[in-house]
Structure formats: structure tokens, C-alpha cells
Amino acid sequence: MYNKIIKLIIAAGIIAFAVYQFTEGNIGNGIMFILLSLIFVFLYFKNEFILLAFLRLRKQDFEGAKKWLDKIKNPEAALVTKQQGYYNYLHGLMVSQTNMNEAEKYFKKAIALGLSMNHDLAMAKLNLSGIAFSKRRKLEAEKLLSEAQKLDKQGMLTDQIKMMKENMKRSQMPNQHFGAGGSIRSQKRRG
């Protein structure tokens, strides 16, 4: 795992060598080295291990994604702020299957650090809403759900948001009692 500064130093070195190639008249070599330096610049903004973890998650391979994320030893030093957000977002997705308290911490940290795509932010807020609802924090869950709905402009999470709203409504309804029901006081008034 390369530190993020080392990636920029390597890119600068390759660009300097490309300029040298241009001055020597080797235009083709200079162009090739500039393209090679763009790979390191790309990897500065998009971490290779996070990209590989996303590919594993698309295949529902949580173990493989965790293995790639575990290769990032010190996220604060190795990742840019947005990448740290995605690092926590991916950990939250994987941990949400087993430990909701830990997943809540990861999702909150991911939202605080920032996610660049609106649908990723919407997904994080939707998961936080589900966690809050399961912990009986209904107002927080409704607030997060409405924020997720506003962020979901492409409609990718429409079904999940609709299901969450139905679950919230279902839990609001009073339990149906058959027969005389009610309090003892009301039963005395009737009879």
C-alpha cells in the first residue's frame, strides 16, 4: 500500500522524465510516459484497493471485499478524505449484516467524511434509517429516510424506500383487538 504522497511523487518523476524525452526529440516515448503518469494520478484520487473491494461487492463476495479493504493499514495516511468516506461506507455495508451498532458508526463516519455520489449517500442514509428504526428512534429514522429520498434522484432506491415507509406505517398502526377489548373502565360503561 503506497502512501498517497508517494503516488504523486512517482507521477511527478515520470512527468519530468517525459519532458526530458520531449526535449531529446522522442515524442512517442514522452507521450507514453505522460499516459503512464496519469495512472498514478488516477490512483491518487481512486484508491486501487477500494476499487477492487467495490468489484467484489458487486459479486456479493463480502469476504473478498473485506480482504481487499484490510490491505489498507492506515486509511488516514493512505487515503484522501472522500476515499476515507468510501472506506467507511464499504465497511458499514459489510458489517451491517452482522453488527448494527458498528455499522451505524461506519455509516455516520462515511457521511461526515463525504461521499461523492448522491446515490451512495442516499444508500448510507437509508441504511442508517433502518438501523435507527430498529433501535426505536422513529423520528431520526423518518428524517434520514426523507433525506435519502431527496438524494435518490435516479430512483435507484425507490423500492427500498417504499418498503421502509410501509414498515414504519405498519408499526404505527394500533394492534387490532377483537371482542370486548378496551379498558376495564370502558367495559363497565358498556355493560
Side-chain angles (χ1 to χ4, degrees):
M1 177 73 216
Y2 295 115
N3 192 325
K4 59 186 172 187
I5 304 299
I6 293 174
K7 291 177 188 177
L8 289 179
I9 292 170
I10 291 172
I14 293 173
I15 288 174
F17 191 68
V19 169
Y20 171 73
Q21 289 291 316
F22 284 131
T23 59
E24 289 294 314
N26 298 328
I27 307 291
N29 287 349
I31 292 172
M32 190 253 332
F33 281 119
I34 293 231
L35 293 176
L36 181 65
S37 72
L38 290 177
I39 292 172
F40 286 98
V41 172
F42 172 74
L43 291 178
Y44 175 79
F45 292 106
K46 302 287 184 189
N47 186 276
E48 62 273 13
F49 293 124
I50 291 178
L51 291 173
L52 292 169
F54 264 119
L55 289 175
R56 287 290 174 193
L57 276 180
R58 288 184 86 184
K59 296 177 182 177
Q60 298 294 319
D61 181 13
F62 290 103
E63 301 300 322
K66 180 149 181 52
K67 186 172 73 172
W68 282 114
L69 283 179
D70 287 342
K71 291 187 181 206
I72 302 174
K73 301 294 182 216
N74 186 4
E76 286 79 24
L79 303 175
V80 182
T81 307
K82 294 277 186 188
Q83 291 174 354
Q84 291 175 30
Y86 276 101
Y87 176 81
N88 287 300
Y89 172 69
L90 289 173
H91 267 293
L93 285 176
M94 290 185 293
V95 173
S96 67
Q97 308 293 322
T98 56
N99 187 350
M100 289 194 327
N101 291 330
E102 197 173 339
E104 182 178 18
K105 291 175 190 171
Y106 279 124
F107 283 128
K108 284 185 177 180
K109 192 170 182 183
I111 290 171
L113 289 168
L115 299 170
S116 51
M117 307 290 263
N118 277 344
H119 58 76
D120 291 334
L121 193 56
M123 178 63 126
K125 289 192 179 200
L126 180 66
N127 280 321
L128 268 177
S129 172
I131 291 169
F133 182 66
S134 68
K135 291 182 173 183
R136 300 188 188 277
R137 297 188 312 232
K138 190 171 178 257
L139 293 176
E140 181 183 351
E142 287 175 348
K143 181 182 143 215
L144 287 166
L145 191 63
S146 68
E147 289 175 10
Q149 191 170 15
K150 289 175 190 170
L151 288 168
D152 185 32
K153 292 184 173 75
Q154 284 90 18
M156 295 171 66
L157 301 172
T158 307
D159 294 336
Q160 288 89 343
I161 291 172
K162 190 185 298 183
M163 281 177 26
M164 183 72 76
K165 283 185 177 180
E166 287 174 6
N167 287 340
M168 285 182 181
K169 284 181 185 175
R170 198 174 305 133
S171 71
Q172 279 181 333
M173 292 181 194
N175 293 334
Q176 185 70 33
H177 296 286
F178 297 101
S183 66
I184 296 172
R185 183 192 219 168
S186 64
Q187 289 176 7
K188 287 180 181 177
R189 276 189 247 154
R190 281 189 230 143

